[in-house]
């Protein structure tokens, strides 16, 4: 009992507890596991305990409103495929709409890049050639018939390989599930298919959505290929950074969007919890998991979020969120805080754009933020991979110091302590809500305390590239490799539009997000 921090029972009580456990508890445990735990991954039988992140209760959405996108005009097709590969969704969409390029041609460009760079960057699990060409033809045929479905019509993209697509492997990045094919069409894939977007690849997830190690190796950072990408949305971040896809969908439970986006220097959005339904997606934690876009810009993130958001019956935590239009936000009416960790260039740029910037700090008394996150995530994950552990499959897991260790430890977290952690989480949320006296705040996107807090609360954050610095110990002959600098723009739950509007304002007068990694020319770095 000491491992449960409950070694206060005398011997007679312990014998009584043992008898009761044998007679009542263990049979109930086994009955419940037979009902819901024989399949791994948490794809079915979601928990009846549902976390809602909204601070304003449930709002009734009478009619879904689309965003009022800015008009993109005078876009001309570049002569080089390299230049096409780094165009934004808005630009590519205009090329498609005006028939300067076909979806088939775009698909060819990105399939070639996926096959060329993936062997080095190790960011792709499955290239979906046949499906891509089929969807590209459908998009081109519709346009010939005068039917244009919107900005994602004919645009190639990639999905993190925890997202199920029928007839293709969904490996979860694990050698145990390397040949798994799920007859499930994930909600987010359905949404993107309905927009006319073209799936070109299932991208790397760290094994069982933990870090950047998977059964095929370890995903690298295109800006510095001696480094690894970090975070389990490694494939979406690295592939977007390298111009292998215009955008990709990743996921976050605790840092898996923010960390790889920051490392690989791409713009990304971790949306408010519940904004995008997770039906058909491998689950770590039903109260923490979120799906979000990796893109070239904050505008592109807004475009993708607008298309993938929504509620689905298969995900009880999902909500039909009435997202306000980030393109109509008057940023001069906003008060934005900045933490000590904020990149001051962002503060200065937004101040020059008319935003009121003030020093800020989130005040809360809960000191166990990181342990609350770990208890919640690990117990939930173990519930979804109970059978995996019981069958000893953790023994062949790719990184033995990761899930195997954490989930063995999770066996020793009693239900009462899990619930105490959720009560402490509730206290944290109330204190953060009371302390959130600004419209948004700017801070480090990868500070672990802030990553844990943001995910426990369910708040959105836009990750924004803000510059570059020299790599550590560069070769004497010089190098084009760089370390990326990023920042996070955080907003209260259901205020993703504020984070996006501020990110768009910053990117309207800077070009860090438009820079291209040196994947073809490292300089004289011939040993790399």
């Amino acid at each position: 009992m000491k491992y449960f921090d409950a070694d206060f029972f005398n011997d007679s009580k312990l014998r009584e507890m043992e008898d009761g456990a044998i007679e009542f508890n263990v049979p109930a445990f086994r009955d419940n596991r037979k009902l819901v735990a024989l399949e791994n991954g948490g794809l079915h039988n979601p928990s009846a305990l549902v976390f809602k992140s909204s601070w304003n209760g449930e709002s009734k959405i009478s009619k879904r409103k689309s965003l009022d996108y800015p008009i993109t005009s005078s876009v001309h097709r570049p002569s080089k495929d390299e230049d096409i590969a780094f165009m934004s969704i808005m630009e590519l969409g205009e090329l498609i709409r005006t028939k300067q390029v076909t979806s088939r041609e775009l698909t060819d460009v990105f399939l070639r890049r996926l096959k060329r760079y993936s062997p080095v960057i190790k960011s792709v699990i499955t290239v979906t050639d046949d499906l891509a060409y089929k969807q590209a033809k459908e998009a081109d045929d519709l346009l010939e018939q005068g039917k244009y479905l919107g900005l994602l019509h004919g645009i190639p993209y990639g999905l993190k390989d925890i997202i199920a697509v029928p007839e293709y492997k969904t490996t979860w990045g694990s050698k145990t599930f390397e040949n798994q094919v799920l007859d499930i069409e994930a909600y987010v894939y359905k949404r993107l298919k309905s927009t006319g977007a073209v799936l070109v690849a299932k991208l790397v997830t760290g094994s069982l959505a933990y870090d950047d190690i998977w059964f095929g190796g370890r995903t690298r950072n295109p800006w510095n290929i001696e480094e690894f990408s970090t975070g389990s949305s490694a494939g979406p971040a690295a592939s977007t950074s390298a111009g292998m896809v215009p955008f990709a969908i990743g996921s976050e439970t605790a840092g898996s969007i923010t960390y790889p986006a920051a490392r690989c220097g791409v713009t990304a959005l971790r949306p408010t919890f519940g904004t995008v339904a997770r039906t058909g997606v491998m689950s770590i934690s039903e109260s923490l998991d979120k799906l979000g876009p990796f893109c070239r810009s904050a505008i592109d993130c807004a475009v993708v979020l607008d298309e993938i958001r929504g509620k689905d019956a298969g995900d009880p935590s999902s909500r039909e969120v009435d997202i306000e239009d980030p393109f109509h936000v008057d940023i001069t009416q906003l008060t934005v805080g900045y933490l000590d960790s904020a990149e001051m260039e962002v503060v200065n740029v937004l101040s020059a754009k008319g935003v009121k910037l003030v020093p800020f700090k989130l005040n809360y008394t809960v000191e166990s933020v990181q342990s609350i996150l770990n208890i919640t995530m690990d117990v939930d994950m173990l519930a979804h991979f109970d059978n995996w552990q019981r069958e000893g499959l953790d023994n062949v897991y790719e990184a033995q110091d990761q899930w195997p260790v954490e989930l063995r430890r999770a066996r020793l977290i009693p239900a009462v302590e899990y619930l105490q952690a959720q009560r402490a989480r509730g206290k944290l949320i109330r204190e953060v809500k009371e302390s959130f006296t600004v419209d948004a705040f700017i801070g480090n996107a990868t500070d672990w305390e802030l990553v844990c807090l943001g995910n426990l609360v369910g708040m959105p954050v836009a990750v924004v590239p803000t510059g570059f610095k020299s790599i550590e110990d560069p070769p004497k002959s010089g190098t084009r490799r760089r370390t990326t600098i990023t920042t996070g723009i955080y907003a209260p739950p259901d205020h993703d539009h504020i984070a996006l509007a501020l990110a768009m304002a910053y990117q309207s007068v800077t070009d860090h997000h438009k820079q291209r990694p040196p994947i073809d020319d490292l300089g004289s770095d011939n040993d790399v």
Side-chain angles (χ1 to χ4, degrees):
M1 297 301 291
K2 70 179 180 180
Y3 298 114
F4 297 139
D5 196 26
D7 53 345
F8 49 82
F9 298 104
N10 61 33
D11 288 348
S12 65
K13 289 178 180 177
L14 286 171
R15 285 192 293 272
E16 169 202 286
M17 293 162 67
E18 180 181 354
D19 292 341
I22 292 171
E23 183 178 358
F24 297 107
N25 296 6
V26 172
F29 296 162
R30 290 173 176 170
D31 287 344
N32 291 335
R33 286 201 304 271
K34 287 178 184 177
L35 288 173
V36 300
L38 295 181
E39 290 184 73
N40 295 301
L43 294 169
H44 308 289
N45 303 301
S47 171
L49 304 178
V50 176
F51 173 62
K52 298 291 185 182
S53 61
S54 176
W55 287 354
N56 301 311
E58 281 293 316
S59 56
K60 297 289 185 181
I61 310 300
S62 56
K63 186 177 180 182
R64 183 188 176 103
K65 296 177 291 186
S66 292
L67 306 185
D68 187 14
Y69 304 118
I71 296 173
T72 304
S73 57
S74 303
V75 179
H76 301 289
R77 176 176 178 168
S79 58
K80 296 180 180 178
D81 286 355
E82 171 85 4
D83 295 327
I84 291 175
F86 285 94
M87 295 180 84
S88 69
I89 290 173
M90 299 288 287
E91 293 166 333
L92 292 173
E94 184 64 5
L95 292 183
I96 289 277
R97 189 186 69 83
T98 56
K99 299 184 179 180
Q100 296 181 59
V101 69
T102 65
S103 180
R104 168 73 188 224
E105 290 172 318
L106 280 188
T107 299
D108 277 334
V109 167
F110 288 104
L111 285 175
R112 283 196 294 269
R113 293 182 69 84
L114 286 161
K115 293 172 183 178
R116 176 177 181 180
Y117 297 115
S118 183
V120 174
I121 297 176
K122 295 189 181 298
S123 61
V124 180
I125 292 181
T126 304
V127 177
T128 56
D129 306 62
D130 292 343
L131 178 62
Y133 284 127
K134 176 176 177 289
Q135 292 181 341
K137 182 179 187 304
E138 291 169 353
D140 289 335
D141 289 349
L142 281 173
L143 201 58
E144 285 302 312
Q145 298 165 22
K147 298 175 183 176
Y148 179 62
L149 301 179
L151 283 170
L152 297 185
H153 186 127
I155 306 294
Y157 72 98
L159 292 175
K160 183 176 180 179
D161 200 30
I162 61 171
I163 300 171
V165 175
E167 299 180 21
Y168 281 89
K169 294 177 183 178
T170 301
T171 70
W172 301 341
S174 165
K175 66 182 71 175
T176 301
F177 302 99
E178 185 176 355
N179 296 309
Q180 172 178 253
V181 177
L182 299 171
D183 188 23
I184 300 172
E185 194 171 55
Y187 172 84
V188 69
Y189 172 62
K190 285 183 187 176
R191 293 289 306 160
L192 288 167
K193 191 167 68 167
S194 73
T195 70
V198 175
L199 178 65
V200 290
K202 303 290 294 296
L203 303 174
V204 163
T205 171
S207 184
L208 303 186
Y210 194 128
D211 204 29
D212 54 19
I213 299 172
W214 58 292
F215 66 82
R218 194 170 185 186
T219 303
R220 294 184 175 273
N221 171 17
W223 277 101
N224 180 6
I225 63 169
E226 277 196 328
E227 285 186 329
F228 300 106
S229 64
T230 79
S232 71
S233 296
S239 297
T240 304
S241 174
M244 295 157 70
V245 288
F247 76 95
I249 304 299
S251 71
E252 171 154 328
T253 307
S256 287
I257 288 177
T258 52
Y259 275 91
R263 175 63 64 86
C264 297
V266 295
T267 308
L269 178 71
R270 183 188 75 205
T272 296
F273 176 84
T275 300
V276 183
R278 303 158 303 179
T279 310
V281 180
M282 190 208 96
S283 177
I284 292 178
S285 170
E286 291 168 46
S287 72
L288 293 171
D289 298 345
K290 294 156 290 291
L291 298 174
F294 291 80
C295 298
R296 304 246 169 278
S297 68
I299 290 178
D300 284 1
C301 284
V303 170
V304 177
L305 180 66
D306 191 29
E307 296 294 357
I308 65 175
R309 63 189 172 100
K311 179 180 176 62
D312 185 73
D315 179 2
S317 296
S318 61
R319 299 181 293 126
E320 202 65 67
V321 179
D322 189 13
I323 293 179
E324 294 186 37
D325 196 329
F327 301 106
H328 287 179
V329 173
D330 182 357
I331 62 171
T332 65
Q333 299 301 306
L334 300 178
T335 299
V336 176
Y338 58 93
L339 306 182
D340 291 341
S341 63
E343 287 294 325
M344 291 309 294
E345 190 228 10
V346 181
V347 174
N348 295 333
V349 166
L350 290 178
S351 180
K353 297 278 287 183
V355 180
K356 182 181 178 181
L357 275 298
V358 297
F360 180 70
K361 181 181 180 181
L362 276 177
N363 294 309
Y364 51 91
T365 64
V366 178
E367 297 179 353
S368 54
V369 172
Q370 297 175 30
S371 64
I372 294 170
L373 185 286
N374 284 330
I375 287 171
T376 304
M377 178 176 68
D378 290 353
V379 171
D380 290 357
M381 177 65 175
L382 183 56
H384 298 140
F385 284 88
D386 187 355
N387 209 40
W388 173 81
Q389 189 187 67
R390 290 175 183 276
E391 292 181 348
L393 296 174
D394 56 340
N395 293 324
V396 295
Y397 184 78
E398 286 74 6
Q400 284 295 305
D401 60 341
Q402 296 179 359
W403 279 136
V405 171
E406 289 196 33
L407 298 189
R408 285 194 287 269
R409 187 175 67 234
R411 282 281 171 197
L412 297 178
I413 300 174
V416 65
E417 300 303 341
Y418 177 86
L419 291 176
Q420 301 296 27
Q422 302 319 303
R423 296 176 71 197
R425 180 182 184 181
K427 179 177 175 63
L428 172 69
I429 292 169
R430 291 189 294 274
E431 291 182 351
V432 168
K433 179 182 178 181
E434 186 175 336
S435 177
F436 212 124
T437 55
V438 291
D439 294 300
F441 68 84
I442 302 166
N444 190 315
T446 57
D447 175 85
W448 182 238
E449 175 84 359
L450 199 47
V451 166
C452 292
L453 182 146
N455 279 291
L456 288 170
V457 173
M459 69 172 65
V461 59
V463 182
V464 184
T466 58
F468 304 90
K469 60 183 180 182
S470 297
I471 64 171
E472 293 184 5
D473 300 320
K476 293 179 181 179
S477 56
T479 180
R480 294 183 66 239
R481 291 182 287 133
R482 293 289 181 267
T483 296
T484 57
I485 305 171
T486 55
T487 201
I489 301 176
Y490 298 80
D494 298 339
H495 287 70
D496 306 55
H497 63 291
I498 299 296
L500 287 168
L502 291 166
M504 289 189 289
Y506 172 75
Q507 291 183 337
S508 70
V509 291
T510 60
D511 64 356
H512 306 302
H513 62 293
K514 295 181 180 180
Q515 304 307 306
R516 303 177 188 180
I519 49 178
D520 284 311
D521 179 13
L522 299 179
S524 54
D525 252 347
N526 296 324
D527 59 320
V528 178

